[in-house]
Amino acid sequence: MLDILVIDDDLRMNQLIVEILSEEGYSAAATSDSREAIILLRERHYDIVITDLKMPYVDGMQILTTAKQSNPDALVVMITAHGTIESAIEAIKKGAYDYIQKPFDPDQLLLIIKRAAEHLFLIYENKRLQREVKSFLQDDIIGVSRAIRDIKGIIEKVAPLDATVLIQGETGTGKELVARQIHKNSARAQKIFLPVNCGALTETLLESELFGHERGAFTGAMAQRKGLFETASGGTIFLDEINNTTASLQVKLLRVLQENMIMRVGSSKPVQVDVRIIAASNANLMEAVNSGTFRRDLFYRLNVVNIDIPPLRQRKDDIPILAYHFLNKYCRKLNKSIKNISLDAIEILNGYSWQGNVRELENVIERAVIMETSSEITPQSLPPEIKGSPADPLSCLHLMTIDEMERFLIMRTLREFKGQKNKAAESLGIDVTTLWRKIKKYNLE
Ligand SMILES: Nc1ncnc2c1ncn2[C@@H]1O[C@H](COP(=O)(O)OP(=O)(O)OP(=O)(O)O)[C@@H](O)[C@H]1O
Ligand SMILES: [Mg+2]
């Protein structure tokens, strides 16, 4: 629940605003004595302060200063009478959130308050995340989405069993991270976790890597060599990109799964192995089975437990917390102290499609930590391709007219560039003279 304080020396105006707000479910306190307002602001934490600009004793500017001193996140909305618009602009420059001109339409006020409430929600959410990520360990699986919570539940259940697990997901969704977590929570945790990329080697090479070979098994096989299945004995082997294995290798893998036996290349003597197998595929393996490129019997052997990790764009809830996690990680690694991700930067991250999933997000944050010179990650330190696809830009601007929207956008951009018109115009994609004209039209000077 937001704490709102309304300050206007005109008692009727106070009542009107409190009524408008309470009809929408907001509760607001009000005072018509600006001196009392100062005391109230010093005593408690208000989220939103709606104040008249011109009042006896203490004016709106001083209210603004006091409100910000007692709660730096407080959003202050100025009420101005006709003819005092310059002071309202001045107030915005000094950190007021917005202004509204008397006489106003109740909807106009509600729109501002609604937008302020959304803004505050993001600020508080941002702070909460900042505190929360501090407690994460480096290899924790981070996420608050339903999907990630379910996956953590499955890991907890299957890790202690020796069951084979098949993990599916697009590139960069965290398949290897999940596999390591399963190993870490199993009875084999003290033994080796051995990742093998099945897509990186030719068939013959992969085969001799996995199963080892006898001396003279092929040209260049000068000595007998143990394979990875034997090396991983007692531990876990992680067969990554299993979808890229050939038909003949698939037969051999099937034998390992069925009999826990391998045969070194060039040998006919089976060797018993004791490994847990976790496999990963970045393509839908069932489709590969149906199209005939993957053996059905091997698929069923692998698919004892199935973990599907959805792409990041389908679990957007995880984006802010992951971003903070990586911010924390790379600040520590690169010895920088960036504490925060600005709200517009979070909005941009939320809106991007993340074809490279969590890995791509991690790279973007690492780069931003390197590039950023201020104390928070801002859109300026994000790569241009990310900024090309904003989240639904209209999501917070509904109920506005086109003119209001334009005025709002220009005002926000000017604020972002601290009034530098050349830069603001460039970011808005218009030339400076057009910007000047619009500033005049909307009285933003
Ligand atoms: N939920 C998560 N929480 C924290 N870090 C994550 C999460 N998901 C992925 N990562 C990180 O993202 C990076 C990529 O993850 P990982 O290598 O496990 O992906 P992958 O699915 O195996 O990718 P590929 O298919 O390309 O091999 C790693 O640095 C990993 O730590
Ligand atoms: Mg991987």
Side-chain angles (χ1 to χ4, degrees):
M1 195 68 199
L2 294 173
D3 277 318
I4 305 180
L5 181 63
V6 182
I7 312 160
D8 197 313
D9 55 318
D10 176 353
L11 255 173
R12 270 185 37 252
M13 182 56 100
N14 267 350
Q15 278 167 358
L16 177 72
I17 294 177
V18 171
E19 267 169 37
I20 294 173
L21 292 175
S22 72
E23 265 173 39
E24 283 296 306
Y26 297 106
S27 85
T31 173
S32 56
D33 184 337
S34 55
R35 292 165 300 184
E36 190 195 358
I38 293 286
I39 295 169
L40 286 173
L41 285 170
R42 288 197 180 129
E43 269 173 2
R44 52 178 299 185
H45 172 122
Y46 286 98
D47 302 293
I48 299 177
V49 178
I50 304 171
T51 180
D52 194 8
L53 198 55
K54 266 172 102 176
M55 293 179 290
Y57 310 116
V58 178
D59 71 358
M61 288 298 196
Q62 267 172 281
I63 297 284
L64 169 65
T65 313
T66 310
K68 285 283 183 188
Q69 268 166 1
S70 98
N71 171 20
D73 293 330
L75 299 183
V76 180
V77 177
M78 295 290 178
I79 308 170
T80 68
H82 190 69
T84 55
I85 196 92
E86 287 77 16
S87 336
I89 306 280
E90 189 58 32
I92 300 262
K93 276 194 203 148
K94 292 232 163 79
Y97 176 68
D98 208 341
Y99 67 86
I100 187 161
Q101 218 172 335
K102 278 192 260 192
F104 53 81
D105 190 344
D107 284 345
Q108 229 178 323
L109 177 70
L110 284 175
L111 182 69
I112 292 177
I113 299 304
K114 210 172 143 200
R115 214 195 300 135
E118 281 171 13
H119 187 82
L120 281 169
F121 174 76
L122 281 176
I123 291 180
Y124 295 151
E125 179 68 7
N126 228 0
K127 293 222 154 138
R128 194 184 60 73
L129 289 178
Q130 234 170 310
R131 284 195 303 273
E132 197 174 321
V133 290
K134 291 264 157 36
S135 58
F136 292 151
L137 299 174
Q138 216 48 265
D139 52 358
D140 277 350
I141 297 173
I142 314 292
V144 291
S145 62
R146 177 88 250 169
I148 289 296
R149 280 183 290 149
D150 287 350
I151 287 170
K152 285 186 184 172
I154 299 176
I155 292 175
E156 222 170 276
K157 280 203 207 92
V158 304
L161 315 174
D162 243 355
T164 305
V165 182
L166 174 63
I167 306 168
Q168 300 190 86
E170 287 181 10
T171 177
T173 44
K175 296 185 292 296
E176 183 159 344
L177 186 68
V178 166
R180 284 183 190 276
Q181 197 72 245
I182 293 172
H183 173 73
K184 241 179 63 181
N185 290 295
S186 75
R188 299 171 177 266
Q190 299 310 318
K191 296 282 174 59
I192 191 171
F193 173 86
L194 192 63
V196 185
N197 188 327
C198 302
L201 301 175
T202 61
E203 181 186 348
T204 39
L205 213 54
L206 179 62
E207 194 184 329
S208 88
E209 280 292 311
L210 285 175
F211 305 115
H213 56 74
E214 294 296 339
R215 186 171 171 208
F218 47 82
T219 3
M222 309 292 264
Q224 184 208 56
R225 204 173 137 213
K226 271 191 189 174
L228 296 175
F229 273 108
E230 284 175 83
T231 310
S233 186
T236 306
I237 197 163
F238 175 53
L239 300 176
D240 203 358
E241 294 190 32
I242 189 108
N243 47 309
N244 288 328
T245 48
T246 57
S248 83
L249 197 80
Q250 287 170 24
V251 180
K252 288 173 182 140
L253 288 174
L254 185 64
R255 185 172 327 127
V256 183
L257 280 159
Q258 279 171 336
E259 298 154 21
N260 294 319
M261 295 283 195
I262 57 133
M263 250 184 301
R264 293 184 188 144
V265 178
S267 159
S268 50
K269 208 177 84 204
V271 181
Q272 186 84 26
V273 289
D274 168 32
V275 283
R276 180 187 202 166
I277 296 179
I278 303 178
S281 167
N282 51 25
N284 185 322
L285 214 49
M286 192 63 218
E287 274 171 23
V289 169
N290 289 335
S291 68
T293 56
F294 201 85
R295 288 184 70 104
R296 188 174 296 271
D297 45 9
L298 179 58
F299 172 77
Y300 287 121
R301 281 281 173 180
L302 291 171
N303 198 33
V304 178
V305 176
N306 181 300
I307 297 181
D308 267 333
I309 316 180
L312 191 54
R313 63 186 165 280
Q314 283 171 21
R315 46 183 171 103
K316 285 181 182 284
D317 294 358
D318 293 338
I319 293 175
I321 198 162
L322 280 166
Y324 267 104
H325 170 64
F326 294 130
L327 175 66
N328 209 22
K329 174 174 171 182
Y330 286 101
C331 277
R332 236 184 271 160
K333 199 164 158 183
L334 300 163
N335 213 0
K336 292 189 81 163
S337 71
I338 302 169
K339 296 268 180 289
N340 193 32
I341 305 178
S342 80
L343 295 180
D344 8 6
I346 289 277
E347 267 174 40
I348 290 170
L349 297 178
N350 279 340
Y352 183 62
S353 64
W354 302 111
Q355 297 300 322
N357 295 295
V358 184
R359 180 180 296 109
E360 187 182 10
L361 176 61
E362 178 166 3
N363 292 343
V364 164
I365 299 296
E366 180 182 7
R367 175 187 183 275
V369 169
I370 294 170
M371 302 293 286
E372 190 58 62
T373 50
S374 79
S375 63
E376 65 173 9
I377 300 288
T378 57
Q380 271 90 336
S381 51
L382 299 176
E385 62 273 18
I386 302 265
K387 290 185 259 188
S389 61
D392 180 5
L394 301 177
S395 62
C396 59
L397 300 176
H398 50 284
L399 300 177
M400 272 193 187
T401 64
I402 297 221
D403 270 4
E404 278 171 332
M405 199 147 77
E406 190 171 70
R407 174 179 169 276
F408 174 66
L409 183 64
I410 291 175
M411 198 167 72
R412 208 174 77 169
T413 312
L414 281 169
R415 215 182 297 163
E416 187 178 317
F417 291 99
K418 305 197 168 54
Q420 292 175 285
K421 301 199 180 50
N422 285 329
K423 288 193 179 162
E426 191 188 325
S427 153
L428 288 164
I430 55 179
D431 60 46
V432 183
T433 47
T434 311
L435 178 61
W436 271 111
R437 221 177 36 245
K438 290 188 189 290
I439 287 175
K440 227 168 146 188
K441 172 176 170 194
Y442 297 120
N443 252 326
L444 290 171
E445 190 47 63

